[in-house]
Amino acid sequence: MSSTNIQADQILDCKGLACPMPIVKTKKAMNELNAGQVIEIQATDKGSLADLQSWAQNTGHQYLGTLQSGDVMQHYLRKSNPDEVKEEQSFPWPISHEELQTKLSANEKIMLLDVREPAEFAFKRIPGSKSIPLGELESRLGELNLDEEIVVICRTGVRSDLACQQLAAKGAQNVKNVLLGISAWTGATEGSESL
């Protein structure tokens, strides 16, 4: 399949933008479309695939597919009819950096789950965190104990919010989203950026 076969009603340029900006711009652009219209989102952020798929599922819009040409991914979404659209919900159980630092300092038994892409995780991560990118979360659920406390982090809190919703839907009872993500984290880190 080539992009010449797909008629997009709007093309949104998100090249060079990192999470959460592709989603932020997509939300705004989606409000301007009519039901049934298709938007093409051009992005270079590898995490944008999982982000947009999860966002579409969370809001009721239809994720049609993604094509890739070099470093640019072309994501296609169809705006749903008003009766199909779900009100976007934020995950109701956040955790602040201070609360997370207290838990880590007290050596509390938690699973700190980082849902960023592998390259992001390699450069900067909180010691002891486990890497499962958002796009792999469903297929790797077996690596998690859904009965224990799971604290989810990403770059800014957007992907981790979506991951928390997925985990709760799969039966996790004690899941928390780290507000502001690792971009605002001032505690200990490890990785290439920390050396």
Side-chain angles (χ1 to χ4, degrees), residues 1-194:
M1 178 199 308
S2 73
S3 59
T4 57
N5 298 339
I6 301 172
Q7 293 296 316
D9 297 287
Q10 183 176 349
I11 296 175
L12 182 62
D13 185 354
C14 294
K15 295 185 291 283
L17 300 177
C19 179
M21 290 314 298
I23 290 179
V24 170
K25 289 186 79 168
T26 299
K27 286 180 191 179
K28 184 177 180 186
M30 198 63 92
N31 288 335
E32 298 168 8
L33 293 177
N34 295 319
Q37 288 188 311
V38 173
I39 186 169
E40 174 186 318
I41 301 111
Q42 299 174 348
T44 51
D45 178 10
K46 291 184 189 321
S48 65
L49 174 60
D51 294 349
L52 289 166
Q53 286 176 328
S54 294
W55 179 79
Q57 182 178 17
N58 190 35
T59 59
H61 296 297
Q62 184 180 5
Y63 168 77
L64 300 174
T66 296
L67 300 173
Q68 187 153 357
S69 176
D71 290 340
V72 178
M73 289 175 279
Q74 297 160 290
H75 307 288
Y76 294 90
L77 299 176
R78 179 189 157 275
K79 182 170 182 170
S80 293
N81 294 315
D83 60 331
E84 299 171 306
V85 175
K86 303 179 220 170
E87 185 176 329
E88 192 172 0
Q89 302 281 324
S90 291
F91 193 71
W93 296 288
I95 185 171
S96 69
H97 285 172
E98 294 77 18
E99 292 170 302
L100 176 56
Q101 186 61 58
T102 299
K103 287 180 175 289
L104 293 174
S105 296
N107 290 320
E108 287 187 31
K109 183 163 175 45
I110 63 169
M111 163 57 69
L112 181 55
L113 178 62
D114 191 316
V115 294
R116 296 175 299 146
E117 292 299 304
E120 294 173 285
F121 185 79
F123 278 99
K124 182 179 182 181
R125 62 191 170 273
I126 298 173
S129 56
K130 178 176 183 66
S131 173
I132 300 180
L134 178 61
E136 299 175 17
L137 186 57
E138 190 162 340
S139 66
R140 294 178 61 187
L141 277 176
E143 297 177 34
L144 301 172
N145 177 354
L146 299 182
D147 294 327
E148 73 179 325
E149 181 175 5
I150 303 173
V151 176
V152 187
I153 193 165
C154 69
R155 184 174 162 269
T156 61
V158 174
R159 274 180 271 183
S160 54
D161 186 279
L162 296 169
C164 286
Q165 292 181 47
Q166 279 187 27
L167 290 167
K170 296 296 182 183
Q173 298 294 314
N174 192 2
V175 182
K176 294 185 176 77
N177 178 30
V178 180
L179 295 176
L180 304 177
I182 201 162
S183 63
W185 178 253
T186 58
T189 61
E190 59 187 14
S192 302
E193 186 178 286
S194 305

